[in-house]
C-alpha cells in the first residue's frame, strides 16, 4: 500500500482483510461520499500454496457500502484477483466473505445496522 496519509486513517477504519491483502489504488470524495478503490495483491492464497498458480487477471469490480465516516457515506470498490491452476486449468480465487448475504454492505456494517434496528 502507498504511504498516503489517508492510508494511515483507513487502516483504523476499514476491515483488516482489505488493508492486509489489497492495495489502495485511489480514493476521492464526491459530495457526501468517500470512495476507496482497492486491487487484490498478487499473493497466492494459502489454501493453494502446494499448487502451481498463475495470476490471470481480475474479476469485475464490486462496490460495497461500509460504515459512514463523519457523516459521509463510504464505498469500497474492490477488484479481486483470479489465478489459474496450471495443473487442472481451473480458475481459483480467495473466498473473502466480505459481503453480508443479500446486501451490498460489508458484514460488519450490516451486523451493526441489524443491532440498531
Amino acid at each position: 500500500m502507498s504511504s498516503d496519509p489517508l492510508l494511515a486513517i483507513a487502516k483504523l477504519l476499514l476491515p483488516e482483510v482489505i488493508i492486509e491483502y489489497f492495495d489502495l489504488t485511489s480514493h476521492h470524495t464526491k459530495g457526501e461520499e468517500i470512495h476507496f478503490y482497492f486491487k487484490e495483491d498478487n499473493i497466492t492464497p494459502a489454501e493453494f500454496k502446494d499448487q502451481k498458480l498463475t495470476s490471470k487477471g481480475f474479476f469485475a469490480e464490486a462496490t460495497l457500502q461500509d460504515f459512514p465516516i463523519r457523516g459521509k457515506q463510504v464505498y469500497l470498490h474492490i477488484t479481486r484477483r483470479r489465478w489459474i491452476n496450471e495443473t487442472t486449468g481451473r480458475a481459483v480465487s480467495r473466498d473473502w466473505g466480505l459481503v453480508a448475504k443479500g446486501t451490498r454492505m460489508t458484514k460488519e456494517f450490516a451486523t451493526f445496522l441489524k443491532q440498531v434496528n
Side-chain angles (χ1 to χ4, degrees):
M1 296 198 119
S2 69
S3 61
D4 186 333
L6 186 57
L7 179 59
I9 295 168
K11 285 182 178 183
L12 298 172
L13 302 173
L14 299 176
E16 185 177 326
V17 69
I18 296 284
I19 301 303
E20 187 173 339
Y21 290 102
F22 290 79
D23 279 328
L24 178 62
T25 57
S26 67
H27 57 81
H28 70 273
T29 302
K30 181 173 73 174
E32 294 298 312
E33 300 174 350
I34 302 171
H35 295 263
F36 293 99
Y37 294 84
F38 294 94
K39 258 192 186 158
E40 186 174 356
D41 291 333
N42 191 9
I43 300 170
T44 303
E47 60 267 29
F48 300 107
K49 68 179 178 184
D50 297 333
Q51 302 172 22
K52 170 97 171 101
L53 300 181
T54 303
S55 179
K56 288 294 183 183
F58 296 92
F59 290 102
E61 178 183 283
T63 303
L64 308 175
Q65 187 172 5
D66 200 19
F67 286 96
I69 299 174
R70 303 294 276 171
K72 295 186 183 289
Q73 295 178 4
V74 174
Y75 293 94
L76 310 177
H77 301 269
I78 300 171
T79 305
R80 294 177 41 226
R81 188 173 293 275
R82 109 178 112 199
W83 292 270
I84 296 294
N85 182 320
E86 295 296 330
T87 306
T88 65
R90 295 178 56 194
V92 298
S93 64
R94 284 190 179 91
D95 178 17
W96 291 108
L98 294 171
V99 181
K101 188 172 183 154
T103 72
R104 298 302 291 167
M105 298 177 205
T106 60
K107 281 186 177 180
E108 293 91 355
F109 188 40
T111 300
F112 170 77
L113 291 176
K114 282 182 184 178
Q115 291 174 352
V116 169
N117 287 332

